[in-house]
Amino acid sequence: MPPKTAYHDALGDYFAEHAGISPYNAYTDRPAMLELAGDVDGAKVLDVGCGAGHYAVELLARGAQVVGVDGSRTLLEHARARVGERAEFLLHDLEEPLNFAHDASFDGAVCALVFHHLTHRVQLLRELHRVLRPGGWLLVSTTHPAADWRHFGGSYYADDWVELPLRGSPFSIRFQRMPLEMFLGELLAAGFALERLVEPRPVPRLREVDEAAYTKLQQAPSFLAVRLVRP
């Protein structure tokens, strides 16, 4: 059975197109995460939940060697079409151990807007700690708990699983709400040290594309993004 946490078939096709142009993905989350990555020239990077290869393209352009993993065949087809042979892409259920990777075999890892979809997050974090070399870095982005609180209501401290309809489409995505202390607590308990935390804002060029979205994203947070290091 295909992993429940991945985007399959028509949802995968929708996400592949949407992630390339969305104010949230293309103009807010991805620029912030790439800024957190810094200089990746010569680094071997694991793209965890690589989707349609949008991060792989950017990391390759900056000189990284990229291995992308995702549980969706649909999205990996898009990634290979976008990137070609310049990166290695693997079909892998992120709820399972990263048994394809040796200890200390990566310089860095990117986990963009995937963490909150997963059930076995603690296991994944332990695996990332294992496959990163000492001093290696991990970037994680997730939905902002304040944004989830505003949208779904109830208690800010709720950690329930929710369904979010994707506006303008017949699809929805399922993820777990997490207050800030839960999100950071899981990362730190896995042995990582926090270097930076940012609340991504849209890049200025979004204003020329969609001024309403730019104004909205400047006023209310949508995501959290962190850079951690493996001691």
Side-chain angles (χ1 to χ4, degrees), residues 13-33:
D13 291 331
Y14 171 83
F15 179 77
E17 178 180 0
H18 182 77
I21 59 175
S22 163
Y24 295 88
N25 298 87
Y27 294 92
T28 307
D29 173 69
R30 200 150 58 243
M33 288 279 274

Side-chain angles (χ1 to χ4, degrees), residues 106-187:
F106 288 91
D107 300 301
V110 175
C111 187
L113 300 181
V114 175
F115 193 68
H116 50 294
H117 292 296
L118 299 174
T119 302
H120 298 149
R121 293 188 301 272
V122 172
Q123 174 182 263
L124 176 62
L125 290 171
R126 288 173 178 166
E127 283 290 275
L128 290 171
H129 192 277
R130 176 183 67 80
V131 304
L132 287 171
R133 63 169 178 76
W137 47 269
L138 170 63
L139 310 182
V140 182
S141 60
T142 191
T143 58
H144 198 294
D148 292 339
W149 185 27
R150 290 182 62 183
H151 183 84
F152 295 104
S155 170
Y156 166 84
Y157 299 103
D159 60 359
D160 54 325
W161 288 83
V162 293
E163 290 278 342
L164 178 67
L166 300 178
R167 187 176 300 175
S169 83
F171 307 112
S172 65
I173 56 175
R174 181 174 184 268
F175 64 92
Q176 187 175 14
R177 294 172 60 179
M178 285 181 274
L180 181 60
E181 67 179 10
M182 180 177 176
F183 173 63
L184 287 181
E186 291 184 1
L187 297 169

Side-chain angles (χ1 to χ4, degrees), residues 70-84:
D70 204 282
S72 168
R73 293 183 186 276
T74 304
L75 284 172
L76 289 179
E77 289 175 3
H78 284 283
R80 292 183 179 112
R82 177 168 284 106
V83 178

